[in-house]
Amino acid sequence: MAGMAFGRRTLAALALATGLIGTAQAGEVTFWTWRQEDKAIYTDLFAEFTKANPGITVKFEAFPNENYNTIVTTALAGGKGGDVLHARAYGGLEAMAKSGYYLALDKTNVPELANLPDDANASESLRADGKVYAVSLAGQTLGLIVNKDVFATAGVAVPATWADLLAACTALKAKGITPIANGTATPWMDAIFATVFTNPFLGPDWVKDMLAGKTNFSDAKFTAALGKLIELKPCLPDGFTGVDYATSQQLFSAGRAAIFVGGSFEIAPFRRGNPKLNLDFVAPPAPAAGQPTYVSRFFDSGFAVNAKSPNQADALKLVRWMATKAFAEPAAAKLGNISSLKDVAAADPLLGKIAKLNETAMPYATLVYFRFEAPTGTDLLQEGVQKMMGGTATPAEVGANITAGLAKWYKPFQK
Amino acid sequence: MSSRLRLNVWIAFLLAPGLVVMTLFVAAPLLSSFRYAFYNFNGVLPDTFIGLANFRDVLFEAPFAATTWRALGHNAIVFAALMITQNGLAYLIAFALLKSLPGHRIHQTIVFLPVVLSAVIVGFLWKLFFHPLFGLVNAALAIIGIHGPPWLGNESTALGSIIFTNAWHWVGFPALIFLAGMQRISKETLEAARIDGATDRVLLTSIIWPLVAPSTTIVATLTFIGSFNWFELPYVMAGATGSPGGATDVLGLYFYRTAFGSASSGLQDFGHGSALAVLMFLFLAITSGLGLRYLRRREIEA
């Protein structure tokens, strides 16, 4: 299978190298993405761009998500590739942009970068030079997705504090409802689960101190927050260590569970799967009444310009347009996400509510800051959470292991 | 043209297409993987020659080394468990089939049937069977009053569950090889033993076992290579990270997620990945080479 996967990549690369994919003509900008499912949406949006910029058309070309990185880098290494490229963020961006394939964007070639908040631009920057390499598209917010009908039928209020949450768990279970749909069998969900519930206990100042190396994941504050997750074991499905992502989604979609811990990106699939779901998105419970709570946030992709594009002037025009409301507002509405741009109103009321929660959001730290080198913060956190929830590691061991792993490459931890 | 030369030209002509394909698609990628193992990668391009540093990292440097050795340990467990359970059972099944009891033909087909299924299908099937909420296994256990664990979610049962699935999937293959080996033993030998009063147990341990040594060689070698290249089943059933908490992590998974990245980290590190692949290749080539020498010698002694 490993060999097969590599074989597929090699084949895809060969297809590119032999020039199966045509090069763009003058006045035509090629847009490369892994989002085949959004083809209709982008085609509509690009038609608007052509209206505003007569003479420039945009060609949409999509590649399979799992091979996208390999296909793009192989093409770019050969001096080919799309003119405008859908780019990953953070560590994923770095893997591609540090080879010098993306054009550095700044105030002179893309003045519209000023329309984006600093943390969005940071998500498309390299650590080495601090330059921005892509216009961020959207942000994702992590919190609790709530089935309002389930809560209402059970006569339980959506919890606002940690104590409320534990009480709601007991009440919901008494009615035969699984309080929280999440299991721990799918690792990437565990990192999200842990981030959502620990962030209100940590607070933004702790993250700043931790990034500066003044504290780290072995800190008692972090391990105490992590230990809180153990209290949630009775809220999770029976046999939760064997319950995977797909099962959690099914439990929630079918109305058998009240809360799904996840990202704003889950909302659209939930609505598609069961249009009758009466959804709400709330911040995780605060440690105690009167204390602040925070959703967690990260940015997930952007638009970059091929540094070797023969059509760079037109490509830059497209990317500049993508950093304006003319693109961002309809794109956010059609794609069902929350635009990275400042002051873009969300068409959907629920997304509007999430945008409001974003104003005080904390970062999804292990993704935003610790996904640049191996071992990544997310990998360490998710393995630790799986073990801790399975009962084979203590919060202190998990914290110490995360710190030790990151110290391999994160300088402030190397003391 | 002398006939000898003509013959050589013909041989060269017939070998050339195969040789070209093998060189281009097998030898060249293998060699490039060897080369990549000595480079530091900047993004997805080899950047600087760093000698044996990648090998040192994956073998001795924390935290990578711990993962490598843990994965190797799991591979060894898989090999030992499959040799004893899967192949042991296969040996017994082969003997039962050899006796040509009524209905042995249909049983032979049934035993071999799962082998023709793809590992991905078998993996998904058993992942569903082991599911804690609506799995067949726990539902069956519930009938007799046992509350089954989440088999694939428990660190203590996950690896065993995947090994079991592998045995279910593959048992027919060694059974068939053993059966073929047993059928080659002359009837006279077996009948003579019977007349001397040998029981089934004696037949199995003292008469048949040494005489099917060539089959054992094949089964042991294939099981060894399969166990240390184990990928499809753990990938489908436990994911690229070897859930839960790395309890099912094996070298194949570690190589895959290092080189190609996992769901939660898009990091692609071909340098360390290639180093792992090269080490796996060397380990397999050397150990199976030595093992084969020993097994072949054993065949002659027998």
Side-chain angles (χ1 to χ4, degrees), chain A residues 164-358:
Chain A
D164 286 353
L165 176 66
L166 297 180
C169 278
T170 319
L172 288 165
K173 277 187 84 167
K175 306 254 177 190
I177 295 161
T178 304
I180 298 176
N182 300 59
T184 61
T186 303
W188 65 266
M189 276 192 84
D190 297 326
I192 288 178
F193 184 84
T195 303
V196 165
F197 285 118
T198 55
N199 262 351
F201 285 94
L202 297 170
D205 290 336
W206 184 87
V207 175
K208 279 190 199 113
D209 286 351
M210 181 267 295
L211 288 175
K214 280 187 224 158
T215 183
N216 55 40
F217 293 95
S218 313
D219 181 34
K221 192 163 184 181
F222 180 78
T223 55
L226 204 55
K228 281 285 180 189
L229 300 180
I230 298 174
E231 296 175 16
L232 294 178
K233 276 192 195 182
C235 309
L236 306 181
D238 190 28
F240 63 87
T241 54
V243 171
D244 62 359
Y245 178 54
T247 310
S248 303
Q249 284 181 314
Q250 285 160 11
L251 286 175
F252 185 77
S253 273
R256 285 175 58 185
I259 298 172
F260 185 94
V261 183
S264 45
F265 50 85
E266 305 282 2
I267 293 172
F270 275 140
R271 282 177 173 164
R272 259 201 310 277
N274 181 358
K276 279 185 255 160
L277 278 183
N278 189 3
L279 296 179
D280 196 7
F281 190 98
V282 298
Q291 289 184 354
T293 181
Y294 305 92
V295 292
S296 309
R297 192 181 193 202
F298 65 97
F299 295 91
D300 71 352
S301 70
F303 304 111
V305 174
N306 182 347
K308 292 205 178 102
S309 164
N311 204 1
Q312 214 169 76
D314 289 344
L316 271 170
K317 268 188 201 158
L318 178 62
V319 165
R320 285 180 63 179
W321 177 74
M322 288 169 125
T324 63
K325 271 190 191 179
F327 168 81
E329 234 160 43
K334 286 176 181 169
L335 295 168
N337 60 23
I338 298 157
S339 170
S340 299
L341 263 67
K342 296 176 197 164
D343 308 320
V344 170
D348 180 88
L350 189 51
L351 294 182
K353 184 185 175 188
I354 297 172
K356 188 85 187 143
L357 289 170
N358 278 342

Side-chain angles (χ1 to χ4, degrees), chain A residues 27 42-58 317-318 321 326 330 334:
Chain A
Y42 277 103
T43 311
D44 285 355
L45 291 165
F46 291 148
E48 292 299 313
F49 172 75
T50 306
K51 260 186 225 162
N53 298 271
I56 310 176
T57 54
V58 184
K317 268 188 201 158
L318 178 62
W321 177 74
K334 286 176 181 169

Side-chain angles (χ1 to χ4, degrees), chain A residues 61-85:
Chain A
E61 279 175 4
F63 302 93
N65 185 15
E66 65 274 20
N67 295 337
Y68 182 75
N69 287 10
T70 316
I71 291 171
V72 170
T73 36
T74 314
L76 293 178
K80 297 191 175 195
D83 305 300
V84 173
L85 308 158

Side-chain angles (χ1 to χ4, degrees), chain A residues 1-2 5-6 9 73 95 98-99 101 185 187-188 238-239 241-244 247 251 371-376 379 382-383 386-387 392 408, chain B residues 42-45 61-64 70 127 131-134 147 150 153-155 231-232 241 243-245 255-256 260 262-265 267-268:
Chain A
M1 183 86 187
F6 191 79
R9 283 155 206 270
T73 36
K98 75 180 170 184
S99 308
Y101 299 138
W188 65 266
D238 190 28
T241 54
V243 171
D244 62 359
T247 310
L251 286 175
R371 232 187 237 187
F372 292 99
E373 282 171 54
T376 69
D379 283 343
Q382 67 198 23
E383 181 170 328
Q386 262 191 340
K387 285 189 162 177
T392 55
K408 181 89 187 119
Chain B
N42 184 8
V44 288
L45 286 186
E61 195 78 31
F64 311 112
R70 180 182 68 184
K127 193 182 171 184
H131 197 285
L133 295 179
F134 38 77
H147 182 76
N154 261 4
E155 282 187 41
F231 182 78
E232 287 102 327
T241 53
S243 275
F255 153 75
Y256 181 81
F260 302 119
S262 61
S264 54
S265 77
L267 284 185
Q268 301 190 330

